[in-house]
Structures are given as structure tokens and as C-alpha cells.
Amino acid sequence: MSPGRSDDSGPLDRRAFTAAALAVALSLPQAAALAEPTGPSDVTKKIAILLYPGMTALDVVGPQNLLAGLGPIELVAARTGPVASDTGLSLVATHDFETCARDLDVLLVPGGDGTPAQMHDAATLAFLEDRAQRATWVTSVCTGSLILGAAGLLRGYRATSHWCVRDAVLPLLGAEPVDSRVVFDRNRVTAAGVSAGLDFALALAARLRGEAYAKTAQLVAEYAPQPPFVAGTPAEAGAETVRAADAILADLVAGARAAASGR
């Protein structure tokens, strides 16, 4: 039997494979709970990820892949159907703001070039404010934390974001910026730029289902990063690379600062 095929010669469903592989972890000794408000549990989780025009696809797809074994994930937008990311790749919203589950275990907001527009979008902010009242974990990746902040959900919380806006914009939204890949503060969990969404998902999975489960998810994904360059932070990248990145990110930074200042 060849890899990627089931024993009845039908295609192997990726989601079913991941869920089955991760289920093995439930039989392993569980580590103690790593953080409040909840300890590890094998109860199916309700997870919703916001989609919006100009989001960064990896902010969604990375966490979705690692959290998929915990329960069904609703991809939510103002309207159902395809939603274009900031690089042109479209993801499909399965639910709108009305049909999204009202009581969630995890509410996740991605970042992206469309962040400033969402910081002004009344319907998006109202949706987040409503679901956050009952969500066990309120979370973000990259500049998604600015959207949470615009909804008033990070005031008085420690948080992180993409380095280009973390220190300049988060304080305008009442948050205390932290230079870290993943920041937990009570039931708020924020991740730094784009690739930090993978670290976030594993850290959250450990709290939701236990360390053994998260380690199994990491191994199934073969997440063992060995980047070819040491240039993942401004401190490591050097002045010339930082200037090039600043030029690419300038419109996002200006838009986010204006959106936060106008609140």
C-alpha cells in the first residue's frame, strides 16, 4: 500500500490522519496543567478563526493545522465564501458572524496587511467583543493583536505583535508590549509575527490537551525549524535588511498607527 492511500485504495483524508495520529497522545502520561484558566482536557474544543480581506494566510493555516485535531474549526468572516489573503491566496469562510458558534474555547484573530481596515470595521469589532465575552481563550497571531486591541480586548493586558508595530501601536490600544514569541496573560494569548503562529498553536495545544499531545502534533508536522539565515528579528538581521523590511511594512505601520490613534 503506498503512502497517502487508505487500505480501500481511497485517498487518505489529511484531517482524519492528523486526528488519529494525535489521538495516540491521549494514552500517554499527561503533564501538569501549564496555565490557567483550564488544564488539559480531552473534551472536543470549539475553535473559530477570523478571516478578512488582506489577512496573512500563514497566520491562519499554521495554527489551523496544529489545532485541527482538537475539534472542528470554524473559519469565520463577514460573509461566507472565499476571502483573499494579502498575497492573493484565498481561504474559504465556512461561517459568518451570525452562524459562528456563540460559546468558543478558542477565538483566534490573524494579522496581515488588512489589519488597519479591520481596526475600523464596526461589524468585525462587535463580533470579536461579543464572542470574547464567553470565549475561554482570546488569541491572535501577528498584527491580529491590534484588531483585538481595537475591540478593547487587550486593555490592561501584556501582549505581543509583529515587531514593526509591537512597541509603537500596542500601547495606543492600552496593552503592555512584550518582546516575546508567545505571550500568555490570563486568557489572552498573543503571538509575534507570522511564523510565531506555529509556536503559539503548540503552546496553546499543550494547555488544552496536555504536553504529550502538543509534542505529538509537533512531530506529525515535523516542526523542527532550521532557517538558512539568522535574520528573523531586527537585532539579528542587520541594518540593511531592517531598512528593506521597513520599506515593505511602512504602509501597514502607518495605517495601524492611524487606526489606533483615532480610537
Side-chain angles (χ1 to χ4, degrees), residues 15 24 38 59 92 95 122 127 134 138 150 161 165 175-176 179 183 188 213 216 234 242 247 253-254:
R15 184 180 300 172
V24 174
T38 60
D59 290 5
V92 178
H95 294 71
F127 165 76
R134 297 175 301 280
V138 178
S161 193
V165 294
E176 177 186 343
D179 182 5
V183 175
R188 304 301 198 256
Y213 184 94
T216 305
V242 171
V253 174

Side-chain angles (χ1 to χ4, degrees), residues 60-159:
V60 176
V61 176
Q64 190 275 345
N65 181 274
L66 293 172
L67 297 174
L70 296 175
I73 296 179
E74 298 182 359
L75 300 180
V76 185
R79 289 174 295 278
T80 58
V83 183
S85 71
D86 53 11
T87 58
L89 177 68
S90 289
L91 301 176
V92 178
T94 56
H95 294 71
D96 60 25
F97 293 161
E98 291 300 319
T99 61
C100 175
R102 305 196 70 78
D103 299 297
L104 298 167
D105 293 289
V106 180
L107 174 63
L108 171 59
V109 180
D113 290 346
T115 292
Q118 296 306 303
M119 293 172 71
H120 288 297
D121 190 86
T124 297
L125 300 182
F127 165 76
L128 294 175
E129 185 178 10
D130 175 76
R131 295 309 193 271
Q133 292 177 28
R134 297 175 301 280
T136 305
W137 296 99
V138 178
T139 72
S140 65
V141 176
C142 196
T143 57
S145 58
L146 305 186
I147 302 174
L148 288 181
L153 299 173
L154 289 182
R155 188 166 299 280
Y157 287 86
R158 300 168 67 251

Side-chain angles (χ1 to χ4, degrees), residues 56 58-60 62-63 66 108 139-143 160-163 166 178-184 189-204 223 225 232-233:
T56 295
L58 187 58
D59 290 5
V60 176
L66 293 172
L108 171 59
T139 72
S140 65
V141 176
C142 196
T143 57
T160 192
S161 193
H162 192 286
W163 60 264
R166 182 190 61 233
V178 178
D179 182 5
S180 184
R181 289 281 284 178
V182 182
V183 175
F184 281 77
V189 194
T190 52
V194 189
S195 64
L198 297 171
D199 298 359
F200 148 81
L202 291 172
L204 184 61
Y223 177 43
T233 68

